[in-house]
Amino acid sequence: GWRYAEGGKAEPMEPDNEGRLWSEVLESWLVEDGSYLRLYDREGQLRLTAAEAKEAARKVADAARKVAEAQAKAEMEARTVAEARAVEAERRLAELEARLKRPDEPA
């Protein structure tokens, strides 16, 4: 690689021990990827292209939708269980009230 020095003169750049070149202008590491260069930030995280970022956002949105659907299903199942318990509690209460009205029967 090369870069322009003061006065517009091109000067060679030396890659680091991993074969990367640092671009001050792009504030990124330039890394060969086949016939392309990929950009990585200072921490070594890949900088996504617009298409990659759009696809990543779509995947995150899909995952969030699936989580929301699972939560809604779990809430519905919990509501069904709670309603069944309430019905059973009401049935048991009615049974006990009926026994109290007949004191001659053992409990």
Side-chain angles (χ1 to χ4, degrees):
W2 51 270
R3 72 173 123 229
Y4 287 110
E6 285 188 36
K9 182 180 176 191
E11 62 181 32
M13 294 173 60
E14 292 297 319
D16 70 357
N17 58 357
E18 296 178 33
R20 308 174 302 174
L21 297 172
W22 178 253
S23 169
E24 293 293 334
V25 174
L26 299 173
E27 295 184 3
S28 299
W29 288 105
L30 305 171
V31 179
E32 184 179 352
D33 182 15
S35 59
Y36 298 100
L37 286 177
R38 297 299 307 251
L39 303 177
Y40 291 81
D41 65 18
R42 289 184 191 277
E43 289 76 39
Q45 296 296 311
L46 178 65
R47 294 189 188 268
L48 301 178
T49 64
E52 290 168 334
K54 185 176 180 179
E55 177 64 13
R58 185 194 63 75
K59 286 180 180 180
V60 167
D62 285 349
R65 180 185 44 77
K66 287 177 183 176
V67 167
E69 289 171 355
Q71 286 176 331
K73 182 179 178 183
E75 289 172 4
M76 182 183 295
E77 289 171 358
R79 191 175 313 114
T80 300
V81 168
E83 289 170 357
R85 286 180 180 165
V87 167
E88 177 59 21
E90 288 174 5
R91 185 198 65 76
R92 181 74 174 128
L93 179 61
E95 182 182 289
L96 292 172
E97 287 175 342
R99 282 188 185 178
L100 286 174
K101 290 180 183 176
R102 298 185 303 256
D104 53 330
E105 286 186 29

